[in-house]
Amino acid sequence: MIDISDPTAPSIVGSVDIPGGAKAVYGSDDGNYVYVVDERLAGVDVRDPANPQIVNLVDTPLRASGVFVSGDHIYVAVKQAGLRVIKRLLYSITDVEVQPTTITATVQAGLDPGTWDVIVINPDGGTANLHNGFGVFMLPMDDVIIDFGEGSGIKGYYNNTTTWSQLDSRNPDSMVTGDMDGNGQDDLIADFGAGNGIQVMYNNSLTWAQLTSKVPESMVTGDMDGNGQDEVILDLGSTYGIWIRYNNTTWTQLTSGSPESMAIADMDGNGQDDLIVDCGEIHGVHVMYNNLTWTKLTSKDPEFMVSGDMDGNGQDEVILDFGSTYGIWVRYNDTTWGQLDTRNPDFMVTGDMDGNEQDEVIIDFGPTYGIWVRYNDTTWTQIDSRSGEYMVTGDLDVTQ
């Protein structure tokens, strides 16, 4: 609880731990109660600001992403589970769901990507306007983009469906995705080789813009400065070293060395991406934390590295392919190692394919096994029997 009676000097006057976390907050009309959602819906009595008290908790089918209160009803956006309307009784939360008569949702200009203005008519005839960008009904799902080689080009596997969409007929040397313009929608960055250089397809537009004529040895993207806009990091080889394009405007050299591979992950869970580089057999894998300091992760020399939040706790894991001798291993929460598979993949990527805020690992095991997805770090599912030449993931279509 923050006292803002003096806007120039806000002060904390009280607090309470919310089981399951706090992603969105909304106050009751009379100002006596606050409703908080994330893993659960919590009702908090704030009539004594110095001593707020949780009065009830309601489990939701999935982690919630938005909450709104109007009169005697609480409206909760619960991802794929949709809109839940909960009746308030005696200013406490009672787990009584009601079915709205009608729901109308529209995207309004100026709202954040993935948010809606929602009008709900309740069974008693009351109307609630869930305005000002009320949450999301379903969090964006990452799309898988694969280069299937000459004759097939680049195809997108959108929203975890079973259909492919053609993005380009060309065959890039490598691809990455990242939100380069900071609008909440991922852009596709492709290295089309000598003579074409690196090009960007902004906002799934199917048109390309030139980023640089240079040809990198590898590319990654991540929010290195923690401002919500992704940077592109290029390894330009021993001649130029590693360079970063900050906020899609400025190029800066990070180091003059050229690593064997790179990956990006928020390894310390502070919301700012860290750069992981494989420096080869002699030096092993190092991490550059918070765009500042280097730390050694392992002395082993992986064949491939990717990262993603496999356990859904908000802190990234690093997934390393150590070859046929050791297989695929995961560095969980920058503390413990666990083996994922004994096989040696051709390629790996990560992405939240089912929209539950937990990353899947997508692995191309070659023409013998095809492409498989490790859902929620538990279940393997094959999505195609073919073997691609290159894969990336990203939310190109900003699924609502």
Side-chain angles (χ1 to χ4, degrees), residues 68 83 103-112 114-120 128-137 400:
F68 191 91
L83 175 68
I103 300 175
T104 304
T106 57
V107 178
Q108 301 291 342
L111 297 183
D112 292 334
T115 59
W116 301 75
D117 268 2
V118 182
I119 297 175
V120 180
N129 181 10
L130 283 54
H131 54 79
N132 295 333
F134 170 74
V136 291
F137 286 170
Q400 306 292 348

PDB file of all heavy atoms in Angstrom, residues 68 83 103-112 114-120 128-137 400:
ATOM      1  N   PHE A  68     -11.047  -6.971 -13.214  1.00  0.00           N
ATOM      2  CA  PHE A  68     -11.854  -5.752 -13.240  1.00  0.00           C
ATOM      3  C   PHE A  68     -13.009  -5.958 -12.271  1.00  0.00           C
ATOM      4  O   PHE A  68     -13.532  -7.068 -12.140  1.00  0.00           O
ATOM      5  CB  PHE A  68     -12.381  -5.488 -14.656  1.00  0.00           C
ATOM      6  CG  PHE A  68     -13.013  -4.135 -14.858  1.00  0.00           C
ATOM      7  CD1 PHE A  68     -12.242  -3.065 -15.293  1.00  0.00           C
ATOM      8  CD2 PHE A  68     -14.360  -3.932 -14.614  1.00  0.00           C
ATOM      9  CE1 PHE A  68     -12.823  -1.814 -15.477  1.00  0.00           C
ATOM     10  CE2 PHE A  68     -14.941  -2.695 -14.800  1.00  0.00           C
ATOM     11  CZ  PHE A  68     -14.175  -1.633 -15.238  1.00  0.00           C
ATOM     12  N   LEU A  83     -13.051 -15.635 -20.084  1.00  0.00           N
ATOM     13  CA  LEU A  83     -13.485 -14.677 -19.078  1.00  0.00           C
ATOM     14  C   LEU A  83     -14.257 -15.391 -17.973  1.00  0.00           C
ATOM     15  O   LEU A  83     -15.206 -16.129 -18.248  1.00  0.00           O
ATOM     16  CB  LEU A  83     -14.370 -13.606 -19.726  1.00  0.00           C
ATOM     17  CG  LEU A  83     -15.013 -12.587 -18.787  1.00  0.00           C
ATOM     18  CD1 LEU A  83     -13.955 -11.696 -18.172  1.00  0.00           C
ATOM     19  CD2 LEU A  83     -16.048 -11.748 -19.530  1.00  0.00           C
ATOM     20  N   ILE A 103     -21.097 -11.093 -24.253  1.00  0.00           N
ATOM     21  CA  ILE A 103     -19.771 -10.491 -24.102  1.00  0.00           C
ATOM     22  C   ILE A 103     -19.381  -9.903 -25.441  1.00  0.00           C
ATOM     23  O   ILE A 103     -19.440 -10.575 -26.468  1.00  0.00           O
ATOM     24  CB  ILE A 103     -18.712 -11.527 -23.679  1.00  0.00           C
ATOM     25  CG1 ILE A 103     -19.082 -12.161 -22.331  1.00  0.00           C
ATOM     26  CG2 ILE A 103     -17.329 -10.882 -23.589  1.00  0.00           C
ATOM     27  CD1 ILE A 103     -18.143 -13.261 -21.913  1.00  0.00           C
ATOM     28  N   THR A 104     -19.003  -8.638 -25.450  1.00  0.00           N
ATOM     29  CA  THR A 104     -18.511  -7.990 -26.666  1.00  0.00           C
ATOM     30  C   THR A 104     -17.117  -7.465 -26.392  1.00  0.00           C
ATOM     31  O   THR A 104     -16.907  -6.698 -25.445  1.00  0.00           O
ATOM     32  CB  THR A 104     -19.415  -6.818 -27.092  1.00  0.00           C
ATOM     33  OG1 THR A 104     -20.753  -7.301 -27.249  1.00  0.00           O
ATOM     34  CG2 THR A 104     -18.931  -6.227 -28.413  1.00  0.00           C
ATOM     35  N   ALA A 105     -16.141  -7.889 -27.203  1.00  0.00           N
ATOM     36  CA  ALA A 105     -14.756  -7.469 -27.007  1.00  0.00           C
ATOM     37  C   ALA A 105     -14.244  -6.794 -28.267  1.00  0.00           C
ATOM     38  O   ALA A 105     -14.425  -7.301 -29.372  1.00  0.00           O
ATOM     39  CB  ALA A 105     -13.874  -8.674 -26.671  1.00  0.00           C
ATOM     40  N   THR A 106     -13.621  -5.633 -28.103  1.00  0.00           N
ATOM     41  CA  THR A 106     -13.066  -4.918 -29.246  1.00  0.00           C
ATOM     42  C   THR A 106     -11.676  -4.415 -28.910  1.00  0.00           C
ATOM     43  O   THR A 106     -11.389  -4.050 -27.774  1.00  0.00           O
ATOM     44  CB  THR A 106     -13.944  -3.701 -29.636  1.00  0.00           C
ATOM     45  OG1 THR A 106     -14.071  -2.844 -28.507  1.00  0.00           O
ATOM     46  CG2 THR A 106     -15.315  -4.153 -30.100  1.00  0.00           C
ATOM     47  N   VAL A 107     -10.812  -4.411 -29.930  1.00  0.00           N
ATOM     48  CA  VAL A 107      -9.482  -3.825 -29.768  1.00  0.00           C
ATOM     49  C   VAL A 107      -9.582  -2.337 -30.060  1.00  0.00           C
ATOM     50  O   VAL A 107     -10.049  -1.928 -31.119  1.00  0.00           O
ATOM     51  CB  VAL A 107      -8.474  -4.488 -30.736  1.00  0.00           C
ATOM     52  CG1 VAL A 107      -7.105  -3.833 -30.582  1.00  0.00           C
ATOM     53  CG2 VAL A 107      -8.368  -5.980 -30.443  1.00  0.00           C
ATOM     54  N   GLN A 108      -9.163  -1.517 -29.104  1.00  0.00           N
ATOM     55  CA  GLN A 108      -9.248  -0.080 -29.253  1.00  0.00           C
ATOM     56  C   GLN A 108      -7.876   0.507 -29.571  1.00  0.00           C
ATOM     57  O   GLN A 108      -6.857   0.028 -29.079  1.00  0.00           O
ATOM     58  CB  GLN A 108      -9.793   0.550 -27.971  1.00  0.00           C
ATOM     59  CG  GLN A 108     -11.176   0.045 -27.582  1.00  0.00           C
ATOM     60  CD  GLN A 108     -12.254   0.504 -28.532  1.00  0.00           C
ATOM     61  OE1 GLN A 108     -12.053   1.455 -29.283  1.00  0.00           O
ATOM     62  NE2 GLN A 108     -13.389  -0.161 -28.523  1.00  0.00           N
ATOM     63  N   ALA A 109      -7.853   1.545 -30.377  1.00  0.00           N
ATOM     64  CA  ALA A 109      -6.592   2.210 -30.728  1.00  0.00           C
ATOM     65  C   ALA A 109      -5.926   2.744 -29.465  1.00  0.00           C
ATOM     66  O   ALA A 109      -6.571   3.263 -28.564  1.00  0.00           O
ATOM     67  CB  ALA A 109      -6.864   3.351 -31.703  1.00  0.00           C
ATOM     68  N   GLY A 110      -4.603   2.563 -29.413  1.00  0.00           N
ATOM     69  CA  GLY A 110      -3.835   3.094 -28.311  1.00  0.00           C
ATOM     70  C   GLY A 110      -3.623   2.145 -27.156  1.00  0.00           C
ATOM     71  O   GLY A 110      -2.853   2.424 -26.247  1.00  0.00           O
ATOM     72  N   LEU A 111      -4.317   0.984 -27.170  1.00  0.00           N
ATOM     73  CA  LEU A 111      -4.121   0.015 -26.098  1.00  0.00           C
ATOM     74  C   LEU A 111      -2.879  -0.809 -26.363  1.00  0.00           C
ATOM     75  O   LEU A 111      -2.426  -0.931 -27.494  1.00  0.00           O
ATOM     76  CB  LEU A 111      -5.336  -0.916 -25.997  1.00  0.00           C
ATOM     77  CG  LEU A 111      -6.674  -0.257 -25.631  1.00  0.00           C
ATOM     78  CD1 LEU A 111      -7.743  -1.331 -25.514  1.00  0.00           C
ATOM     79  CD2 LEU A 111      -6.561   0.510 -24.333  1.00  0.00           C
ATOM     80  N   ASP A 112      -2.340  -1.399 -25.314  1.00  0.00           N
ATOM     81  CA  ASP A 112      -1.197  -2.290 -25.471  1.00  0.00           C
ATOM     82  C   ASP A 112      -1.591  -3.493 -26.299  1.00  0.00           C
ATOM     83  O   ASP A 112      -2.742  -3.940 -26.249  1.00  0.00           O
ATOM     84  CB  ASP A 112      -0.682  -2.763 -24.109  1.00  0.00           C
ATOM     85  CG  ASP A 112      -0.067  -1.633 -23.311  1.00  0.00           C
ATOM     86  OD1 ASP A 112       0.410  -0.670 -23.942  1.00  0.00           O
ATOM     87  OD2 ASP A 112      -0.065  -1.721 -22.069  1.00  0.00           O
ATOM     88  N   GLY A 114      -2.532  -7.067 -27.354  1.00  0.00           N
ATOM     89  CA  GLY A 114      -3.079  -8.158 -26.572  1.00  0.00           C
ATOM     90  C   GLY A 114      -4.114  -7.737 -25.547  1.00  0.00           C
ATOM     91  O   GLY A 114      -4.576  -8.551 -24.761  1.00  0.00           O
ATOM     92  N   THR A 115      -4.507  -6.438 -25.518  1.00  0.00           N
ATOM     93  CA  THR A 115      -5.521  -6.000 -24.570  1.00  0.00           C
ATOM     94  C   THR A 115      -6.790  -5.595 -25.304  1.00  0.00           C
ATOM     95  O   THR A 115      -6.778  -5.297 -26.497  1.00  0.00           O
ATOM     96  CB  THR A 115      -5.022  -4.824 -23.716  1.00  0.00           C
ATOM     97  OG1 THR A 115      -4.679  -3.730 -24.573  1.00  0.00           O
ATOM     98  CG2 THR A 115      -3.802  -5.224 -22.905  1.00  0.00           C
ATOM     99  N   TRP A 116      -7.902  -5.574 -24.551  1.00  0.00           N
ATOM    100  CA  TRP A 116      -9.219  -5.360 -25.144  1.00  0.00           C
ATOM    101  C   TRP A 116     -10.009  -4.336 -24.341  1.00  0.00           C
ATOM    102  O   TRP A 116      -9.764  -4.134 -23.160  1.00  0.00           O
ATOM    103  CB  TRP A 116     -10.025  -6.660 -25.114  1.00  0.00           C
ATOM    104  CG  TRP A 116      -9.419  -7.815 -25.824  1.00  0.00           C
ATOM    105  CD1 TRP A 116      -8.368  -8.594 -25.401  1.00  0.00           C
ATOM    106  CD2 TRP A 116      -9.821  -8.348 -27.071  1.00  0.00           C
ATOM    107  NE1 TRP A 116      -8.106  -9.571 -26.315  1.00  0.00           N
ATOM    108  CE2 TRP A 116      -8.979  -9.454 -27.351  1.00  0.00           C
ATOM    109  CE3 TRP A 116     -10.805  -8.024 -27.992  1.00  0.00           C
ATOM    110  CZ2 TRP A 116      -9.104 -10.219 -28.499  1.00  0.00           C
ATOM    111  CZ3 TRP A 116     -10.933  -8.784 -29.133  1.00  0.00           C
ATOM    112  CH2 TRP A 116     -10.087  -9.860 -29.377  1.00  0.00           C
ATOM    113  N   ASP A 117     -11.013  -3.732 -24.976  1.00  0.00           N
ATOM    114  CA  ASP A 117     -12.125  -3.123 -24.264  1.00  0.00           C
ATOM    115  C   ASP A 117     -13.266  -4.124 -24.324  1.00  0.00           C
ATOM    116  O   ASP A 117     -13.630  -4.592 -25.413  1.00  0.00           O
ATOM    117  CB  ASP A 117     -12.557  -1.816 -24.934  1.00  0.00           C
ATOM    118  CG  ASP A 117     -11.839  -0.624 -24.338  1.00  0.00           C
ATOM    119  OD1 ASP A 117     -11.007  -0.834 -23.446  1.00  0.00           O
ATOM    120  OD2 ASP A 117     -12.119   0.495 -24.771  1.00  0.00           O
ATOM    121  N   VAL A 118     -13.837  -4.484 -23.171  1.00  0.00           N
ATOM    122  CA  VAL A 118     -14.818  -5.556 -23.105  1.00  0.00           C
ATOM    123  C   VAL A 118     -16.093  -5.040 -22.449  1.00  0.00           C
ATOM    124  O   VAL A 118     -16.047  -4.394 -21.405  1.00  0.00           O
ATOM    125  CB  VAL A 118     -14.275  -6.764 -22.305  1.00  0.00           C
ATOM    126  CG1 VAL A 118     -15.291  -7.899 -22.288  1.00  0.00           C
ATOM    127  CG2 VAL A 118     -12.949  -7.235 -22.889  1.00  0.00           C
ATOM    128  N   ILE A 119     -17.251  -5.336 -23.056  1.00  0.00           N
ATOM    129  CA  ILE A 119     -18.546  -5.009 -22.458  1.00  0.00           C
ATOM    130  C   ILE A 119     -19.251  -6.318 -22.125  1.00  0.00           C
ATOM    131  O   ILE A 119     -19.401  -7.190 -22.971  1.00  0.00           O
ATOM    132  CB  ILE A 119     -19.418  -4.172 -23.418  1.00  0.00           C
ATOM    133  CG1 ILE A 119     -18.723  -2.827 -23.699  1.00  0.00           C
ATOM    134  CG2 ILE A 119     -20.807  -3.946 -22.821  1.00  0.00           C
ATOM    135  CD1 ILE A 119     -19.451  -1.984 -24.716  1.00  0.00           C
ATOM    136  N   VAL A 120     -19.661  -6.463 -20.854  1.00  0.00           N
ATOM    137  CA  VAL A 120     -20.300  -7.685 -20.389  1.00  0.00           C
ATOM    138  C   VAL A 120     -21.685  -7.346 -19.850  1.00  0.00           C
ATOM    139  O   VAL A 120     -21.852  -6.400 -19.076  1.00  0.00           O
ATOM    140  CB  VAL A 120     -19.477  -8.370 -19.281  1.00  0.00           C
ATOM    141  CG1 VAL A 120     -20.156  -9.644 -18.805  1.00  0.00           C
ATOM    142  CG2 VAL A 120     -18.067  -8.672 -19.777  1.00  0.00           C
ATOM    143  N   ALA A 128     -21.288  -4.189 -17.457  1.00  0.00           N
ATOM    144  CA  ALA A 128     -19.961  -3.749 -17.020  1.00  0.00           C
ATOM    145  C   ALA A 128     -19.124  -3.455 -18.241  1.00  0.00           C
ATOM    146  O   ALA A 128     -19.075  -4.251 -19.177  1.00  0.00           O
ATOM    147  CB  ALA A 128     -19.285  -4.829 -16.172  1.00  0.00           C
ATOM    148  N   ASN A 129     -18.490  -2.282 -18.246  1.00  0.00           N
ATOM    149  CA  ASN A 129     -17.574  -1.921 -19.320  1.00  0.00           C
ATOM    150  C   ASN A 129     -16.153  -2.101 -18.808  1.00  0.00           C
ATOM    151  O   ASN A 129     -15.651  -1.288 -18.042  1.00  0.00           O
ATOM    152  CB  ASN A 129     -17.815  -0.475 -19.755  1.00  0.00           C
ATOM    153  CG  ASN A 129     -16.902  -0.053 -20.902  1.00  0.00           C
ATOM    154  OD1 ASN A 129     -16.232  -0.897 -21.489  1.00  0.00           O
ATOM    155  ND2 ASN A 129     -16.890   1.227 -21.213  1.00  0.00           N
ATOM    156  N   LEU A 130     -15.522  -3.203 -19.224  1.00  0.00           N
ATOM    157  CA  LEU A 130     -14.177  -3.530 -18.761  1.00  0.00           C
ATOM    158  C   LEU A 130     -13.189  -2.764 -19.623  1.00  0.00           C
ATOM    159  O   LEU A 130     -12.615  -3.296 -20.569  1.00  0.00           O
ATOM    160  CB  LEU A 130     -13.931  -5.040 -18.847  1.00  0.00           C
ATOM    161  CG  LEU A 130     -14.558  -5.913 -17.762  1.00  0.00           C
ATOM    162  CD1 LEU A 130     -16.046  -5.696 -17.626  1.00  0.00           C
ATOM    163  CD2 LEU A 130     -14.281  -7.378 -18.053  1.00  0.00           C
ATOM    164  N   HIS A 131     -13.028  -1.502 -19.320  1.00  0.00           N
ATOM    165  CA  HIS A 131     -12.350  -0.581 -20.215  1.00  0.00           C
ATOM    166  C   HIS A 131     -10.868  -0.484 -19.918  1.00  0.00           C
ATOM    167  O   HIS A 131     -10.328  -1.153 -19.041  1.00  0.00           O
ATOM    168  CB  HIS A 131     -12.994   0.806 -20.120  1.00  0.00           C
ATOM    169  CG  HIS A 131     -13.063   1.322 -18.719  1.00  0.00           C
ATOM    170  ND1 HIS A 131     -11.993   1.864 -18.073  1.00  0.00           N
ATOM    171  CD2 HIS A 131     -14.100   1.338 -17.838  1.00  0.00           C
ATOM    172  CE1 HIS A 131     -12.341   2.229 -16.848  1.00  0.00           C
ATOM    173  NE2 HIS A 131     -13.610   1.916 -16.672  1.00  0.00           N
ATOM    174  N   ASN A 132     -10.220   0.386 -20.676  1.00  0.00           N
ATOM    175  CA  ASN A 132      -8.811   0.738 -20.482  1.00  0.00           C
ATOM    176  C   ASN A 132      -7.871  -0.452 -20.605  1.00  0.00           C
ATOM    177  O   ASN A 132      -6.918  -0.609 -19.852  1.00  0.00           O
ATOM    178  CB  ASN A 132      -8.597   1.416 -19.117  1.00  0.00           C
ATOM    179  CG  ASN A 132      -9.303   2.751 -19.033  1.00  0.00           C
ATOM    180  OD1 ASN A 132      -9.507   3.396 -20.055  1.00  0.00           O
ATOM    181  ND2 ASN A 132      -9.701   3.138 -17.841  1.00  0.00           N
ATOM    182  N   GLY A 133      -8.125  -1.312 -21.566  1.00  0.00           N
ATOM    183  CA  GLY A 133      -7.179  -2.386 -21.847  1.00  0.00           C
ATOM    184  C   GLY A 133      -7.234  -3.511 -20.847  1.00  0.00           C
ATOM    185  O   GLY A 133      -6.231  -3.914 -20.289  1.00  0.00           O
ATOM    186  N   PHE A 134      -8.439  -4.034 -20.592  1.00  0.00           N
ATOM    187  CA  PHE A 134      -8.597  -5.146 -19.660  1.00  0.00           C
ATOM    188  C   PHE A 134      -7.889  -6.379 -20.170  1.00  0.00           C
ATOM    189  O   PHE A 134      -8.282  -6.953 -21.182  1.00  0.00           O
ATOM    190  CB  PHE A 134     -10.081  -5.456 -19.494  1.00  0.00           C
ATOM    191  CG  PHE A 134     -10.364  -6.731 -18.731  1.00  0.00           C
ATOM    192  CD1 PHE A 134     -10.187  -6.774 -17.370  1.00  0.00           C
ATOM    193  CD2 PHE A 134     -10.804  -7.864 -19.382  1.00  0.00           C
ATOM    194  CE1 PHE A 134     -10.466  -7.923 -16.660  1.00  0.00           C
ATOM    195  CE2 PHE A 134     -11.082  -9.019 -18.684  1.00  0.00           C
ATOM    196  CZ  PHE A 134     -10.912  -9.055 -17.331  1.00  0.00           C
ATOM    197  N   GLY A 135      -6.780  -6.751 -19.480  1.00  0.00           N
ATOM    198  CA  GLY A 135      -6.074  -8.013 -19.682  1.00  0.00           C
ATOM    199  C   GLY A 135      -6.127  -8.654 -21.049  1.00  0.00           C
ATOM    200  O   GLY A 135      -6.498  -8.048 -22.019  1.00  0.00           O
ATOM    201  N   VAL A 136      -5.810  -9.922 -21.099  1.00  0.00           N
ATOM    202  CA  VAL A 136      -5.927 -10.707 -22.319  1.00  0.00           C
ATOM    203  C   VAL A 136      -6.704 -11.958 -22.001  1.00  0.00           C
ATOM    204  O   VAL A 136      -6.592 -12.534 -20.933  1.00  0.00           O
ATOM    205  CB  VAL A 136      -4.538 -11.096 -22.885  1.00  0.00           C
ATOM    206  CG1 VAL A 136      -3.804  -9.909 -23.410  1.00  0.00           C
ATOM    207  CG2 VAL A 136      -3.697 -11.818 -21.852  1.00  0.00           C
ATOM    208  N   PHE A 137      -7.541 -12.395 -22.942  1.00  0.00           N
ATOM    209  CA  PHE A 137      -8.263 -13.651 -22.750  1.00  0.00           C
ATOM    210  C   PHE A 137      -7.328 -14.826 -22.961  1.00  0.00           C
ATOM    211  O   PHE A 137      -7.443 -15.852 -22.340  1.00  0.00           O
ATOM    212  CB  PHE A 137      -9.416 -13.740 -23.736  1.00  0.00           C
ATOM    213  CG  PHE A 137     -10.560 -12.841 -23.388  1.00  0.00           C
ATOM    214  CD1 PHE A 137     -11.589 -12.653 -24.275  1.00  0.00           C
ATOM    215  CD2 PHE A 137     -10.595 -12.174 -22.174  1.00  0.00           C
ATOM    216  CE1 PHE A 137     -12.656 -11.826 -23.953  1.00  0.00           C
ATOM    217  CE2 PHE A 137     -11.638 -11.353 -21.850  1.00  0.00           C
ATOM    218  CZ  PHE A 137     -12.669 -11.166 -22.745  1.00  0.00           C
ATOM    219  N   GLN A 400      -4.519 -12.996 -30.048  1.00  0.00           N
ATOM    220  CA  GLN A 400      -5.279 -12.508 -28.893  1.00  0.00           C
ATOM    221  C   GLN A 400      -5.822 -13.688 -28.111  1.00  0.00           C
ATOM    222  O   GLN A 400      -6.311 -14.610 -28.673  1.00  0.00           O
ATOM    223  CB  GLN A 400      -6.438 -11.609 -29.364  1.00  0.00           C
ATOM    224  CG  GLN A 400      -5.974 -10.467 -30.256  1.00  0.00           C
ATOM    225  CD  GLN A 400      -5.141  -9.429 -29.555  1.00  0.00           C
ATOM    226  OE1 GLN A 400      -5.066  -9.424 -28.332  1.00  0.00           O
ATOM    227  NE2 GLN A 400      -4.493  -8.565 -30.271  1.00  0.00           N
TER     228      GLN A 400
END
